[in-house]
């Protein structure tokens, strides 16, 4: 995988990282005025880079990539909180988000103050978050949605969908209201005004949020930035636009559980579904250095061989594996592809690299199994919703990964933030090499 930026000599080599959690260093720099997202010459995994290797004076554009994971996105907030304390003058030139990571990314992109203030605002949001702030958990709402789906099932699809019912197992109107408050001021068309202001002022090079178009099956990356040139690849493409709250809400819409969101005439859902190249938006938008934050815990060989259930797997166990495959595993695969391409580039003489360039990557991930941690906090869920999740077998597995995506409860979220902060401290040297001055 490579990224593309127009003009300039070929990139020079940097020793490749030993694993997905290591990377070389850099310092934030002014935004390159060259167009972002230009199409490459010969087809590659993504696009070819045509920018020069950053010099000591200019380390190149720094991007942050925030992936999905529902409630697990609280982990990202702890890491950002540590970054803000360690690097108060840090600025991301490119910000991208998908799924719940789109919420954190949009708040970073829309903040007009110093980075520590943006991190503090995110911390306040997640620290006070409850399940009721994300979706309705009252008996009437939950029972109505379950009954509606039941009627559709037994009627063979004859049961017509109501204005709000049948478009998800829960009602996410509270999340819609929360985003409008957190991202204010909002324009008359739902535009997140401060993102546009930050782009125009040069504080932000580009922002991207990704959704899945349910009608076509295409992954759509919505981008806002100056001099952005859209790209297109098999089953995924970009659209330059003014980012609206609906884009963020759609990106975070967990399939089936959260209702799809209508965007520009089409119905869109969680961007993590079928998003086979989560680093792609940052690469297309010209990043020379990428800080990617995953919410996936990598188990040891012993942990992998330990059964999580006894007997026939409950639905929660099966859903957990599906959710991990969709939202948590893809980033690691993309990081490995980028590292492989970097190694190939580094073996080529400078005059044979053509448009290719080395892109520094640092991927950070939890040191604790967030799924198993969710089991300890399961009793804190609202009673009716807890009753329904237990019906899926969340107490019959050691690691209810499915539950960890929906457990928007303060104690769990705060623990995830603390883990994120501690993990960032443990990786301080690698982070310093990527973003430090």
């Amino acid at each position: 995988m490579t990224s593309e930026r127009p003009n300039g000599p070929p990139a020079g080599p940097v020793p490749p990282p030993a694993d997905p959690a290591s990377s070389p260093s850099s310092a934030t720099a002014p935004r390159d005025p060259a167009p972002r997202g230009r199409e490459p010459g010969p087809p590659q995994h993504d696009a070819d880079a045509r920018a020069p290797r950053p010099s000591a004076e200019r380390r190149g554009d720094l991007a942050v990539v925030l992936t999905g994971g529902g409630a697990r996105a609280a982990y990202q907030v702890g890491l950002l909180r540590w970054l803000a304390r360690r690097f108060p003058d840090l600025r991301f030139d490119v910000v991208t988000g998908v799924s719940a990571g789109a919420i954190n990314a949009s708040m970073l992109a829309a903040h007009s103050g110093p980075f520590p203030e943006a991190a503090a605002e995110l911390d306040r949001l997640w620290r006070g978050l409850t399940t009721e702030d994300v979706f309705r958990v009252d008996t009437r709402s939950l029972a109505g949605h379950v009954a509606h789906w039941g009627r559709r099932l037994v009627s063979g699809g004859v049961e017509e969908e109501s204005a709000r019912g049948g478009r998800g197992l829960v009602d996410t109107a509270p999340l819609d209201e929360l985003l409008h408050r957190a991202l204010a001021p909002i324009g008359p068309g739902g535009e997140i005004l401060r993102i546009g202001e930050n782009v125009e002022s040069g504080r932000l090079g580009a922002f991207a949020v990704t959704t899945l178009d349910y009608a076509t099956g295409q992954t759509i990356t919505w981008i806002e930035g100056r001099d952005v040139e859209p790209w297109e690849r098999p089953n995924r493409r970009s659209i330059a636009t003014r980012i609206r709250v609906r884009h963020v809400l759609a990106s975070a819409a967990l399939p089936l559980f959260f209702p799809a969101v209508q965007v520009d005439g089409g119905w869109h859902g969680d961007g993590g579904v079928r998003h086979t190249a989560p680093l792609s938006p940052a690469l297309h938008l010209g990043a020379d250095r990428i800080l990617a934050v995953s919410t996936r815990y990598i188990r040891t060989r012993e942990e992998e061989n330990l059964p999580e259930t006894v007997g026939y797997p409950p639905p929660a166990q099966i859903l957990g594996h599906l959710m991990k495959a969709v939202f948590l595993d893809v980033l690691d695969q993309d990081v490995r592809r980028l590292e492989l391409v970097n190694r190939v580039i580094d073996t080529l003489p400078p005059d044979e690299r053509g448009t290719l360039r080395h892109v520094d990557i640092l991927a950070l991930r939890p040191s604790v199994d967030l799924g198993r941690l969710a089991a300890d906090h399961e009793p804190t869920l609202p009673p009716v919703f807890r009753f329904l999740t237990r019906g899926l077998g969340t107490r019959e597995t050691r690691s209810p990964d499915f539950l960890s995506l929906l457990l928007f409860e303060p104690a769990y979220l705060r623990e995830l933030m603390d883990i994120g902060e501690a993990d960032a401290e443990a990786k301080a040297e690698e982070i310093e090499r990527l973003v430090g001055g």
Side-chain angles (χ1 to χ4, degrees):
M1 175 189 303
T2 52
S3 72
E4 175 172 349
R5 185 116 48 87
N7 306 321
V14 170
D19 58 60
S22 61
S23 173
S25 65
S26 206
T28 49
R31 180 174 165 275
D32 192 332
R36 301 171 181 272
R38 188 182 298 258
E39 289 295 307
Q44 299 289 336
H45 170 70
D46 248 331
D48 298 329
R50 296 179 182 175
R53 181 76 181 138
S55 66
E57 291 74 26
R58 187 184 188 282
R59 299 286 302 285
D61 283 359
L62 173 65
V64 61
V65 174
L66 300 178
T67 61
R72 290 174 176 242
Y75 172 83
Q76 300 169 349
V77 179
L79 190 145
L80 292 169
R81 188 170 64 192
W82 179 90
L83 277 175
R85 187 175 68 251
R86 185 68 174 266
F87 306 100
D89 297 325
L90 182 64
R91 181 175 66 83
F92 293 109
D93 305 285
V94 176
V95 177
T96 76
V98 62
S99 192
I103 297 175
N104 293 335
S106 62
M107 290 190 65
L108 286 180
H111 202 280
S112 56
F115 177 52
E117 291 183 6
E121 190 172 315
L122 272 170
D123 181 77
R124 285 192 296 272
L125 175 72
W126 283 88
R127 187 170 294 277
L129 202 63
T130 65
T131 303
E132 291 89 340
D133 293 321
V134 180
F135 52 87
R136 292 182 59 187
V137 292
D138 58 281
T139 302
R140 181 177 180 180
S141 177
L142 289 175
H145 279 73
V146 171
H148 184 89
W149 279 80
R151 289 195 301 269
R152 286 181 62 89
L153 181 64
V154 299
S155 70
V158 175
E159 170 73 16
E160 292 186 3
E161 143 183 341
S162 65
R164 296 189 64 86
R167 294 182 176 179
L169 288 173
V170 295
D171 182 352
T172 55
L175 178 59
D176 191 0
E177 296 171 2
L178 176 69
L179 290 177
H180 274 83
R181 292 195 305 270
L183 297 170
I186 306 299
E191 303 91 351
I192 306 173
L193 298 178
R194 287 203 177 115
I195 293 179
E197 292 171 1
N198 287 338
V199 168
E200 288 302 315
S201 69
R203 292 177 55 88
L204 177 68
F207 172 64
V209 60
T210 300
T211 66
L212 175 70
D213 185 337
Y214 282 130
T216 65
Q218 287 185 315
T219 295
I220 309 296
T221 296
W222 309 87
I223 49 177
E224 182 166 359
R226 286 192 300 178
D227 305 317
V228 167
E229 294 190 8
W231 62 87
E232 186 167 352
R233 295 291 181 274
N235 293 320
R236 54 190 173 92
R237 61 192 177 94
S238 70
I239 297 176
T241 187
R242 293 293 302 275
I243 300 296
R244 290 170 283 160
V245 175
R246 281 188 166 274
H247 293 114
V248 180
L249 187 65
S251 184
L254 290 169
L256 294 180
F257 291 92
F258 291 5
V261 179
Q262 194 168 27
V263 181
D264 292 351
W267 291 98
H268 292 250
D270 199 304
V273 181
R274 298 194 71 179
H275 194 16
T276 57
L279 299 179
S280 170
L283 293 169
H284 278 291
L285 294 172
D288 298 294
R289 300 167 293 144
I290 299 176
L291 177 65
V293 186
S294 172
T295 59
R296 175 181 182 265
Y297 168 74
I298 298 181
R299 296 178 179 175
T300 64
R301 186 62 56 85
E302 291 74 20
E303 289 172 324
E304 288 179 344
N305 293 331
L306 182 66
E308 297 175 2
T309 59
V310 176
Y312 191 82
Q317 180 72 9
I318 298 172
L319 284 171
H321 287 305
L322 288 174
M323 293 294 186
K324 283 198 297 185
V326 170
F327 299 112
L328 306 180
D329 295 347
V330 180
L331 177 66
D332 291 326
Q333 299 166 10
D334 210 24
V335 169
R336 291 188 182 97
R337 283 195 293 265
L338 176 56
E339 290 178 338
L340 176 61
V341 172
N342 279 341
R343 291 187 177 101
V344 171
I345 293 172
D346 293 344
T347 64
L348 298 174
D351 59 351
E352 295 182 11
R353 291 178 186 146
T355 60
L356 299 173
R357 72 186 166 103
H358 185 120
V359 177
D360 299 341
I361 176 70
L362 171 59
L364 300 175
R365 57 182 54 78
S367 61
V368 176
D369 189 332
L370 305 186
R372 293 196 175 186
L373 186 63
D376 299 333
H377 294 272
E378 185 265 356
T380 66
L381 281 169
V384 178
F385 185 67
R386 183 175 68 238
F387 175 80
L388 294 175
T389 59
R390 287 181 177 179
L392 294 173
T394 53
R395 293 195 299 175
E396 301 172 37
T397 172
R398 297 174 185 267
S399 181
D401 291 297
F402 153 71
L403 185 64
S404 71
L405 276 68
L406 299 171
L407 205 131
F408 293 94
E409 288 301 305
Y412 180 63
L413 300 178
R414 292 172 186 176
E415 189 163 0
L416 296 194
M417 288 190 285
D418 291 341
I419 293 171
E421 190 167 18
D423 287 351
E425 178 65 34
K427 295 291 184 180
E429 292 185 5
E430 292 95 325
I431 297 174
E432 172 72 31
R433 287 199 295 269
L434 183 78
V435 307

